[in-house]
Structures are given as C-alpha cells and as structure tokens.
Amino acid sequence: ARMGRTLVELHYDVISPYSWLAFEVLCRYRHIWSIDLRFRPAFLGGIMQQTGNKPPAMLPKRGEYMLKDMKRMAKYYQVPVHMSADDFQRIMGTSSLTAMRFITAVDMTNPQYLEPLSREFWMRFWSQHEDISQPENILAVARQAGLSAELSQKALEMISDPTVKDRLKETTAEAVKHGAFGMPAVVAHYDGKPHLFFGSDRLELLGSVIGEKWLGPVPS
C-alpha cells in the first residue's frame, strides 16, 4: 500500500451476488477513502469445500429471507441484481470455476480489464439471467467488457494452464487463511495485521476499523 494508505483486498466470485454489492461499493469508495483496493478473484466452491460451509438457500427459511434481503439490498446499494426463487436452482446448477479461471487469466495478462470484466460477468448472470459457464458465453462477456477477440481467445486457452489453476487455488487458499468461509471476503491490512470482514454489509465497520468515514452505499 502507498504511504499512509490501507491495502484492502476483495476476494470474490461472480456467482456470489453479495460479492457484486461489495465490489461496487468499494469501487465507489476507492477515491473517497485512503485505500488501495485490490481485486482477488477466488473460487467460492473451493472455500465452501475447504470450510464445510453450505449455500444459505439450502435452509428453506433462509432462502426465503435471502430473496427479500437481496431485493432490498439491490435497491439500497443501487446495483442491478435481479433475484427470483428459481435462481437458487440456477446457482446450484452452475459452476463458476471456468469463469473464475478466465477472470484469473485476464488478471495475470491484462489486469486493466479485471474490473470491467468482473462487472460484466455479474451483469450477465445476475441482471440478465444468462449462462456464464460455457466458452461462447464467456467470450461474449469478454467482448462486452472491451477485450479484443484475440485477448479473449488467449485467456480462454489459458484456463487449462497449470499457472492459472494454481493462481486461483492460491487466492482461494489465501482467503481461507484469513478466515473466510464464504464470499465476499474483504481483508484490510491495517495496523500491521489483516482484518477480515465477511459480506457486503460490513463495509461501514471496515471504515470504522481503518479510521474512515462511512457515507452510505452511494457516497456522492
């Protein structure tokens, strides 16, 4: 982190709608707070597996609540997440592994596209309810995010590359090491130690810990 600035890492997976909320809010605060924001694409499936966590919707009452909660959060955070009851089936039937490897490959080769690319994956899955697991859909997302056909194709070929697989595993393991059991996992490196904040509704607390003022989810 630059002198006097706090390094804040966001471990996220595009299959997680709450990660999208945290992502957008941190993007808004990046120029308001004295932070260096670092995006850390990781694999939610891996975190769940390593920590024995289960998707919240596996508990029906929790699923019911999550649906209402997400509608309210989307409105409050001004992020176009559109969630319906059949999304739970959709999530269970979708693996984000290929998408997260693709995002990792782009992060390793053309990091300037990481932010628009990640946003575009969320838009496609959570706003337009379209598939993000098939190669042709992944290429469409990349095109939408401004990547050339050549760069997109190269990143797609890299998803089976051991260096990309290992990088994604490392980032995921790092999140778990910091105490993550789900996504988003926000880690602030402050006062010589890492502080983990889980979820998109703890950013106010993050501000308080690093000595920054919370101005709501859409600071003007």
Side-chain angles (χ1 to χ4, degrees), residues 41-43 50 97 101 104 162-175:
F43 180 46
Q50 287 171 45
L97 186 58
R101 278 181 183 161
T104 301
T163 55
V164 171
K165 290 179 176 179
D166 287 347
R167 167 76 168 264
L168 184 59
K169 277 185 196 145
E170 275 159 30
T171 314
T172 305
E174 230 169 273

Side-chain angles (χ1 to χ4, degrees), residues 3-73:
M3 201 47 200
R5 297 173 74 83
T6 302
L7 171 65
V8 174
E9 296 182 285
L10 169 66
H11 295 261
Y12 67 92
D13 185 320
V14 294
I15 201 96
S16 153
Y18 289 101
S19 289
W20 190 11
L21 303 178
F23 174 88
E24 295 299 356
V25 175
L26 286 170
C27 281
R28 293 166 193 162
Y29 271 91
R30 156 174 68 179
H31 305 299
I32 296 172
W33 285 355
S34 186
I35 59 172
D36 284 332
L37 179 59
R38 190 168 170 212
F39 299 123
R40 305 297 309 272
F43 180 46
L44 180 57
I47 289 185
M48 299 297 252
Q49 205 178 357
Q50 287 171 45
T51 60
N53 195 357
K54 304 225 176 340
M58 286 183 82
L59 185 68
K61 278 289 169 208
R62 202 170 163 192
E64 259 170 60
Y65 176 78
M66 194 177 158
L67 209 53
K68 292 179 188 141
D69 185 51
M70 190 40 86
K71 286 196 169 120
R72 292 188 292 222
M73 297 277 271

Side-chain angles (χ1 to χ4, degrees), residues 66-134:
M66 194 177 158
L67 209 53
K68 292 179 188 141
D69 185 51
M70 190 40 86
K71 286 196 169 120
R72 292 188 292 222
M73 297 277 271
K75 195 176 168 188
Y76 179 61
Y77 281 70
Q78 293 183 28
V79 177
V81 181
H82 301 301
M83 204 172 190
S84 59
D86 55 359
D87 276 337
F88 296 132
Q89 288 309 111
R90 216 162 60 95
I91 300 172
M92 300 307 268
T94 301
S95 170
S96 61
L97 186 58
T98 308
M100 293 317 296
R101 278 181 183 161
F102 183 84
I103 290 170
T104 301
V106 170
D107 185 26
M108 290 168 79
T109 51
N110 294 279
Q112 70 274 25
Y113 288 111
L114 182 60
E115 184 187 327
L117 180 68
S118 301
R119 182 176 286 118
E120 213 46 65
F121 268 105
W122 275 305
M123 282 298 284
R124 192 174 183 93
F125 192 76
W126 285 109
S127 215
Q128 296 150 1
H129 291 219
E130 287 178 44
D131 181 80
I132 55 163
S133 62
Q134 297 308 309

